[in-house]
Amino acid sequence: MSPSDLSLEGRKWERFTPTERFARTAIYLITAMAVIWSLRTIDIIPEFLYDAPEQTADLFKRMWPFDWAFYPAAIHSALIETFHIATLGTILAIVMALPLSFLAARNFTKNPILRWLAQFIFVSSRSVNSLIWALLFVAVFGPGALAGVFSIAVRSIGFVGKLFGEALEEARPGPIEALEATGAPRSMILAKGYWPQVEPAFWSIALLRWDINIRESAVLGLVGAGGIGVALDAALNNLYWDQVGLILAVIFTVVVITEIVTSYLRSRIL
Amino acid sequence: MTSTTQTSRPQAFPVNWPARLGWIALTLYALYAASTLDISWARLVRGIDQGATLLARMFPPNTAEDKLELIATGIFESLQIAVLATFFGILLSLPLGFAAARNLAPGWLSTAARGLIAVCRSFHPVIVSILFVKAVGFGALAGILALIVSTMGFVAKLFAEVVEELDPKPVEAVRATGASFLNVLVMAVMPQVMARFVGLTVYQFDSNLRNSTMVGIVGGGGIGAPLFTAYQRFDYDVVLTILLIIIALIMLCEFASARIRRVFQ
């Protein structure tokens, strides 16, 4: 090899291959086109915008001072109901999602059609919003907390099942083979081989979903599925903005407390 | 000697009493909560009957010309809401994320930015869109503004974490060559954060698309409005058509976002 080959003269250093660069440029272009298309065709009524600042000021003026007497009268019981809906919904979601996550995990299910079926259920569950699930379950069970519990549960199946299935796939085979070699029955392999490995992931997923579900269950009442959303809907329809403000403040407080509690618990688990 | 070893033979898997009590407590709680929510077997059975009727009325999905036209308008509006909310939301999240990063911004600024992010995160998009419907009236704008708020709550928080994890060495190296601030940004910061940032953007677009199907229920524009109308008029076959289209759209979007993420890996 002659020394001239080693010289850096005339060499061009590039980070990406032409295909990579093409793909990136295409994505940038498509993004720009999507934004321009949306901006040009979106239907915005400018007449509504003229008094937006006044409307906003009016909104806050009507909210303060809060109607404190409303808390013991209606909010407290609705808040407890919201809490129950979120928690029961999460428990029910886990009960329904666990079998499906075994069906979705590569190391448990060899049949690709069954795995695909589990994935399909997960994606459907996540694609439809909790509020839309709530509409359907109100039609099935009638208005009330039962519809709320089911919409929270069905909406959460996809999240819990997908993540727990991935945790199962990541379990190390060593302890499981050791248990198999002792002739342990299938239930023991699950309880003593897999469970200790996936337990942190399980609790972490459950807590994360519970945190999300507390937020979501607060709005289910807008379509009649129980909880604090029912009180919010009534206050909005009656234009009692001082009650609306109080309900929003209560939801904010509960959500912040839940987030602090779950992030503390998760940091202890992981 | 022999008798003591026999009685104290260790169990391979001793019973974990705290864990067992915890599970029992959880079960008791579930039963108690179910009873306070008036959940009973009779209601479940009646619900299954109702569900069968509902499904019977949903099938086959309604594909009448005029309904499809209405649905197409709503779906396009949902897409527009998702695109614009993601675009402007991220535009606003970048400075907010930098302001919230503890390694770049002064303490008071990062605390204030973190507070703003926490407020954005705490409220469900539906609640935020109710407030915006009051402020700017019915229509897509209220939905866009509501989703911008939730985008800021999510993207700014994670972007601040990305910036905090930034490796300072490349930044110092590029700066040592006498590069300008913009050059440092393009050559040292961007390559480090780009993959995470694209992942965040794509994830948020997915999430905004899901939420944009819902803000219409409270007047925020998009497919939610025709869906809610069809539901209230008991046109369950139209509801099914809309749901199937939403599911197809979101599956398509998830597929596309996985591809995009791979390009920017």
Side-chain angles (χ1 to χ4, degrees):
Chain A
M1 201 182 268
S2 64
S4 65
D5 282 346
L6 290 174
S7 79
L8 299 177
E9 208 81 20
R11 280 201 197 178
K12 199 155 181 260
W13 297 85
E14 274 175 351
R15 189 156 167 242
F16 302 114
T17 64
T19 336
E20 279 177 334
R21 217 173 308 135
F22 174 76
R24 280 168 185 243
T25 317
I27 289 169
Y28 289 138
L29 271 180
I30 292 170
T31 312
M33 271 159 56
V35 172
I36 292 167
W37 167 73
S38 305
L39 274 177
R40 293 183 62 134
T41 53
I42 190 102
D43 192 19
I44 287 175
I45 306 163
E47 284 77 15
F48 280 178
L49 281 178
Y50 296 145
D51 64 343
E54 288 154 49
Q55 289 285 347
T56 315
D58 181 52
L59 178 74
F60 286 107
K61 216 183 296 162
R62 282 169 189 238
M63 274 188 184
W64 189 261
F66 293 157
D67 182 3
W68 293 107
F70 191 52
Y71 183 84
I75 299 182
H76 186 75
S77 57
L79 189 65
I80 300 294
E81 192 176 64
T82 300
F83 179 82
H84 286 329
I85 291 175
T87 315
L88 268 188
T90 312
I91 293 174
L92 191 60
I94 292 170
V95 169
M96 292 196 285
L98 283 194
L100 286 171
S101 62
F102 282 104
L103 208 60
R106 221 171 285 272
N107 45 352
F108 279 92
T109 309
K110 302 286 180 250
N111 186 340
I113 296 171
L114 285 179
R115 280 211 307 270
W116 186 85
L117 180 74
Q119 291 293 347
F120 178 77
I121 295 173
F122 293 163
V123 175
S124 312
S125 139
R126 283 182 298 141
S127 303
V128 178
N129 226 296
S130 50
L131 216 53
I132 298 174
W133 277 123
L135 284 179
L136 295 179
F137 281 111
V138 167
V140 170
F141 293 115
L146 183 59
V149 170
F150 268 87
S151 55
I152 287 287
V154 172
R155 161 82 169 159
S156 310
I157 286 178
F159 181 92
V160 175
K162 178 171 185 274
L163 291 180
F164 193 68
E166 283 168 8
L168 281 175
E169 280 183 352
E170 281 164 17
R172 283 176 302 113
I176 290 131
E177 277 167 20
L179 275 168
E180 272 167 1
T182 65
R186 194 102 180 108
S187 59
M188 267 294 157
I189 293 175
L190 278 182
K192 303 297 175 191
Y194 281 102
W195 176 244
Q197 292 197 55
V198 297
E199 195 181 359
F202 174 83
W203 288 113
S204 161
I205 294 165
L207 281 171
L208 195 60
R209 193 62 221 182
W210 182 68
D211 183 26
I212 298 171
N213 284 346
I214 291 271
R215 271 164 231 242
E216 302 231 306
S217 62
V219 296
L220 292 179
L222 293 173
V223 295
I228 199 166
V230 176
L232 180 64
D233 194 38
L236 280 168
N237 287 336
N238 294 329
L239 302 177
Y240 289 155
W241 287 99
D242 48 352
Q243 295 182 356
V244 173
L246 179 62
I247 294 173
L248 293 186
V250 167
I251 293 177
F252 180 73
T253 317
V254 169
V255 166
V256 169
I257 292 173
T258 319
E259 190 165 339
I260 291 170
V261 169
T262 50
S263 60
Y264 169 73
L265 288 177
R266 272 162 56 85
S267 70
R268 286 204 45 188
I269 291 166
L270 291 177
Chain B
M1 272 296 265
T2 41
S3 64
T4 50
T5 46
Q6 253 171 1
T7 48
S8 67
R9 189 169 66 93
Q11 233 178 318
F13 298 118
V15 177
N16 185 352
W17 278 106
R20 187 169 285 189
L21 286 176
W23 285 109
I24 292 170
L26 199 64
T27 316
L28 287 178
Y29 164 77
L31 291 175
Y32 162 75
S35 72
T36 61
L37 294 185
D38 192 25
I39 295 175
S40 66
W41 194 247
R43 277 193 76 185
L44 282 175
V45 171
R46 218 178 320 137
I48 290 169
D49 278 356
Q50 279 287 324
T53 325
L54 183 73
L55 281 179
R57 292 183 60 177
M58 278 182 153
F59 279 99
N62 190 330
T63 51
E65 193 94 0
D66 56 326
K67 299 282 183 212
L68 282 186
E69 229 165 84
L70 195 74
I71 294 171
T73 322
I75 286 282
F76 281 128
E77 196 173 49
S78 273
L79 265 175
Q80 290 164 339
I81 292 174
V83 168
L84 291 179
T86 313
F87 181 72
F88 288 108
I90 283 178
L91 226 54
L92 291 170
S93 299
L94 291 183
L96 191 60
F98 274 116
R102 289 204 194 88
N103 55 346
L104 292 183
W108 60 269
L109 184 60
S110 74
T111 310
R114 267 156 202 278
L116 182 61
I117 291 171
V119 173
C120 288
R121 270 168 64 78
S122 298
F123 287 113
H124 197 275
V126 169
I127 293 179
V128 182
S129 52
I130 291 172
L131 298 180
F132 276 119
V133 166
K134 158 79 173 146
V136 301
F138 287 98
L141 185 62
I144 294 174
L145 292 174
L147 293 186
I148 285 178
V149 168
S150 64
T151 304
M152 280 163 62
F154 183 78
V155 176
K157 177 173 191 268
L158 291 181
F159 191 66
E161 279 169 21
V162 172
V163 172
E164 279 173 1
E165 284 163 13
L166 208 67
D167 185 2
K169 284 172 195 151
V171 179
E172 276 167 28
V174 174
R175 198 175 282 154
T177 65
S180 69
F181 177 72
L182 203 67
N183 275 332
V184 172
L185 218 58
V186 172
M187 292 300 172
V189 179
M190 285 269 285
Q192 286 192 57
V193 301
M194 198 60 188
R196 285 285 306 276
F197 182 67
V198 169
L200 273 180
T201 308
V202 165
Y203 178 88
Q204 189 58 37
F205 179 73
D206 262 4
S207 150
N208 281 347
L209 190 61
R210 274 159 227 246
N211 286 334
S212 73
T213 62
M214 175 179 65
V215 290
I217 293 176
V218 293
I223 187 71
L227 176 69
F228 198 45
T229 316
Y231 171 81
Q232 285 181 321
R233 290 163 62 183
F234 303 108
D235 289 341
Y236 290 132
D237 48 350
V238 180
V239 170
L240 182 63
T241 317
I242 297 178
L243 287 184
L244 291 177
I245 292 175
I246 291 177
I247 293 177
L249 184 70
I250 284 170
M251 277 184 177
L252 199 73
C253 184
E254 272 194 9
F255 177 74
S257 56
R259 298 300 293 265
I260 291 176
R261 227 171 265 157
R262 218 173 304 150
V263 167
F264 283 91
Q265 207 86 80

